[in-house]
Amino acid sequence: MAKHKTPLLDQLESGPWPSFVSDIKQEAASRAKNEKGIEYQVAADCPDDLLGVLEMSYTDGETHWKHGGIVGVFGYGGGVIGRYCDQPQMFPGVAHFHTVRVAQPMGMWYNTEFLNSLMDIWELRGSGLTNMHGATGDIVLLGTSTPQLEEIFWELTHNMGVDLGGSGSNLRTPASCMGMSRCEYACYDSQELCYNLTLEYQDELHRPAFPYKFKFKFDGCPNGCVAAIARSDLGFLGTFKGPIKINQEVVAAYVGGDIAPNAGAHAGRDWGKFDIQKEVVDLCPSKCLSFEGGKLIMDHKECVRCMHCINTMPQALKIGDERGVSIFCGAKAPILDGPQMGSLLVPFIEVNKDDDYQGIKDIIEGVWDWWMEEGKNRERIGETMKRLGFAALASAAGIAADPRHVQEPRHNPYIFWKAEDVKGGWDRDLAAFRKRHQR
């Protein structure tokens, strides 16, 4: 029998989709039976009390969690998010319900031994509830008490060889796609670069010193499987130069129906005969494709490397040979100024492991130096960039102005150049523009 009545939460189980309420109830039932004979180090009924406090929050229309102070482990300023219930007498199992962030492996590759070891720790010393994974990428362990934090930290670091992730105003846990370990489109080794920078910037990750949070994400190719361009303060997106390589014989095989498009991903129903004009050519965003005389023709200088044609006919088209990374700055979720995508900071840079990625690290540290000097408290770098201008950020990072920095069509093509760098200056050119366009 349930410890608390939860009619409102029960409604969340009635839809067609999986429900977190069902997951919490399942864990509560498992801990009540305790078939493994575990000597729980936190209240065995903490999932029951979690359901109770959530039901009260839904009923009252307000949260019953509070931040009663900063908790953590010795030597670290992040990795633990303190959470306390403001009704500890009513819900003692969640009087403390701290979250522990654990750094995920690059590309989120796991073996069963690792996962079993992690769950053994968390069943013993936590609520047994997890989030795989958080928005930044961390393994999120939901709910433990203050006395268990050092115990969990010791077992993670000494027995499993894994570290805590980031939280607070610091570098958050860097995240990468599977990259070259799985993907034929990877333009650089996203896992290796992510791992290298994670080790390089341990101090920034564990000891908060920034105006606000800062996220790295590493996409191996323009498909953007970890959404670096939209969800990181400094996003690394694999890209390539040169023409996409086209095998016309294989194109003909797709057109003839000998090879399923989209690598067979949409084979669950009959979509009819593959139409290369409708499904590839007409959907090209830059209109650089045509299908003439049984051949796929591409105007390579107009290609924006969106990957649609490659994804649709992966056996027929391959990425170009000169490969590297584009760096975007300033993406974030809605907090102060609303959501925004990353702005192109570095159009193309080679990823050079031989010099320990020094060129990329110089850019990162230039960006950080500027932001820590100019950023306000709790201001993401994208907001600082918006307030002070992209040119200020680019100059601080040592990035020369480039026509590809354009953010949107505008009447003044000198928007990203300093006035003294433009012959005649902005004022004269803008005055001439207005004069020409007066009605």
Side-chain angles (χ1 to χ4, degrees):
M1 182 178 177
K3 182 177 179 180
H4 304 284
K5 294 182 179 180
T6 56
L8 295 179
L9 291 179
D10 294 345
Q11 293 180 31
L12 298 178
E13 298 181 276
S14 62
W17 309 109
S19 171
F20 74 93
V21 176
S22 299
D23 292 340
I24 298 174
K25 288 181 178 180
Q26 181 179 339
E27 183 61 23
S30 174
R31 291 171 75 90
K33 292 179 180 178
N34 194 13
E35 294 177 347
K36 298 180 182 179
I38 299 171
E39 296 182 7
Y40 296 120
Q41 299 300 296
V42 299
D45 62 352
C46 62
D48 292 290
D49 279 354
L50 176 61
L51 291 169
V53 74
L54 285 174
E55 179 73 20
M56 176 178 281
S57 294
Y58 280 30
T59 301
D60 296 348
E62 63 181 15
T63 183
H64 286 285
W65 299 113
K66 64 176 183 176
H67 285 279
I70 296 175
V71 293
V73 297
F74 185 74
Y76 279 32
V80 177
I81 298 92
R83 186 174 291 110
Y84 300 87
C85 177
D86 67 2
Q87 302 292 327
Q89 294 80 18
M90 190 177 298
F91 307 107
V94 293
H96 297 190
F97 202 72
H98 310 316
T99 289
V100 179
R101 288 182 179 164
V102 181
Q104 79 284 359
M106 304 304 101
M108 299 180 183
W109 284 106
Y110 298 102
N111 59 33
T112 51
E113 180 183 0
F114 178 93
L115 292 174
N116 282 327
S117 298
L118 184 66
M119 292 304 102
D120 287 344
I121 294 171
W122 195 237
E123 279 189 316
L124 175 66
R125 301 192 180 281
S127 69
L129 300 171
T130 67
N131 178 6
M132 303 284 282
H133 298 79
T136 303
D138 296 292
I139 303 165
V140 178
L141 306 180
L142 293 163
T144 192
S145 62
T146 303
Q148 294 303 311
L149 293 175
E150 289 290 351
E151 305 292 340
I152 293 166
F153 180 57
W154 174 271
E155 293 196 38
L156 289 172
T157 54
H158 289 72
N159 299 339
M160 293 188 62
V162 65
D163 203 357
L164 296 188
S167 67
S169 295
N170 63 359
L171 175 63
R172 298 300 179 86
T173 315
S176 76
C177 68
M178 294 184 292
M180 290 181 173
S181 66
R182 180 69 183 268
C183 179
E184 63 185 295
Y185 305 141
C187 299
Y188 71 104
D189 193 339
S190 55
Q191 289 178 287
E192 165 62 27
L193 180 58
C194 183
Y195 183 69
N196 184 287
L197 296 183
T198 300
L199 295 184
E200 177 77 16
Y201 297 119
Q202 282 288 295
D203 199 52
E204 288 79 5
L205 206 159
H206 293 307
R207 294 164 186 88
F210 291 159
Y212 201 21
K213 67 181 78 170
F214 194 97
K215 298 181 179 183
F216 286 151
K217 287 187 185 293
F218 302 85
D219 279 317
C221 79
N223 277 321
C225 292
V226 294
I229 195 172
R231 300 179 66 182
S232 60
D233 298 271
L234 207 62
F236 299 81
L237 188 75
T239 189
F240 56 90
K241 291 182 179 180
I244 290 176
K245 293 171 284 188
I246 303 174
N247 186 324
Q248 298 293 352
E249 291 183 2
V250 182
V251 170
Y254 276 102
V255 174
D258 298 326
I259 304 175
N262 302 291
H266 305 300
R269 56 173 285 190
D270 183 9
W271 296 91
K273 181 178 171 59
F274 175 62
D275 186 337
I276 191 171
Q277 182 68 39
K278 180 180 178 181
E279 298 181 44
V280 178
V281 174
D282 291 348
L283 295 179
C284 175
S286 60
K287 306 303 179 187
C288 72
L289 291 173
S290 60
F291 188 65
E292 303 168 8
K295 291 188 176 183
L296 184 66
I297 309 300
M298 178 179 292
D299 184 355
H300 295 288
K301 68 179 183 299
E302 295 297 327
C303 174
V304 294
R305 300 174 298 284
C306 75
M307 299 293 288
H308 174 71
C309 59
I310 296 176
N311 292 335
T312 306
M313 300 188 295
Q315 295 185 45
L317 294 95
K318 303 295 181 182
I319 63 175
D321 290 328
E322 188 178 355
R323 302 169 187 179
V325 68
S326 297
I327 302 177
F328 293 81
C329 187
K332 68 179 189 68
I335 297 178
L336 294 180
D337 247 352
Q340 62 190 50
M341 299 282 279
S343 296
L344 181 64
L345 181 64
V346 181
F348 186 89
I349 184 173
E350 291 185 354
V351 181
N352 191 349
K353 184 179 179 180
D354 294 337
D355 69 352
D356 198 34
Y357 309 110
Q358 193 57 51
I360 289 174
K361 291 175 182 177
D362 289 342
I363 293 169
I364 292 170
E365 290 164 20
V367 167
W368 280 348
D369 286 345
W370 176 78
W371 182 46
M372 286 193 285
E373 183 69 25
E374 302 290 350
K376 297 179 179 179
N377 186 40
R378 295 184 67 81
E379 182 178 59
R380 297 286 287 271
I381 192 169
E383 293 159 349
T384 308
M385 180 180 71
K386 191 173 181 180
R387 177 168 59 85
L388 298 179
F390 178 88
L393 169 62
S395 177
I399 306 300
D402 188 293
R404 289 168 291 184
H405 284 150
V406 66
Q407 202 167 28
E408 60 189 27
R410 52 173 64 84
H411 64 264
N412 183 356
Y414 308 116
I415 190 70
F416 286 139
W417 276 258
K418 295 179 180 178
E420 58 267 27
D421 294 337
V422 179
K423 186 177 180 179
W426 289 0
D427 294 340
R428 192 186 73 179
D429 292 336
L430 185 57
F433 174 87
R434 287 173 173 166
K435 186 176 181 179
R436 287 197 307 271
H437 290 81
Q438 283 178 344
R439 293 183 180 275

